Amino acid sequence: MEERPITKAVSVAPLEDADVKILIEEADRILVFAKSRQITKPDDAKMATDDLSVISGIKKRMESSRKDYLGPVNAIKDEMSQVFKDIMAPVLEADSITRSKLVAYNMELRRIQAEEEDINLKRLEAAEAEMKLKGEITESVNLVPVNEAPKRVSTNMGTASMRDNWKYEVTDFALLPDAYKVPDTTMLTSVAQKHHDQKPIPGVRFYNEPGLSVRARG
């Protein structure tokens, strides 16, 4: 007997979930305490630590509830995304191949047009030089026909046109203006966490900005 895939029912109304409602009430209540709290003595600090432990527990339960709701949805989403990715693969490849061939054709037309225009420019410059030298042009200037590359191709089904897509390549980082030298934040963060301020780097200040670590018991 063929096994049928297991389908898990997922509620789409978490705010109607009794457990979620409890979490919301706890979160609202702890927020009221946090806004009115003043820490001026050791006992206040102890109570704040207790509340932070409670908050940590609420956060964990909320995260667990979130995963319970989104887990099945994400699994289905990932599966469907892969299915349609596979389905679209031939179309995307055909699109890429056709685009590259059409771009190559258009670029060749542009190249030919540029060469024809360059030939005519040189012939006109030669004629102008002869006129300055001799006061006359001894031979007629035979300009080659310029076949202008079309800016777009239009059919009953659509239009394809070339558009500029400027990019960049850094050829000499040392010559790059300072405004364009972006720091490697990932590397600098790693150095700060590993070496603190014991590994100087010119132009960089490593400093400590203490935070609070809370561990709930139990």
Side-chain angles (χ1 to χ4, degrees), residues 11 13-26 61 65 69:
S11 171
L15 294 180
E16 301 302 321
D17 188 321
D19 292 334
V20 174
K21 287 182 177 180
I22 292 174
L23 289 173
I24 293 173
E25 292 174 359
E26 292 179 358
R61 287 156 57 202
S65 182
Y69 274 90

Side-chain angles (χ1 to χ4, degrees), residues 167-177 180-181:
K167 299 183 178 181
Y168 71 90
E169 177 187 4
V170 177
T171 57
D172 191 333
F173 187 80
L175 297 178
L176 198 65
Y180 296 94
K181 294 178 180 177

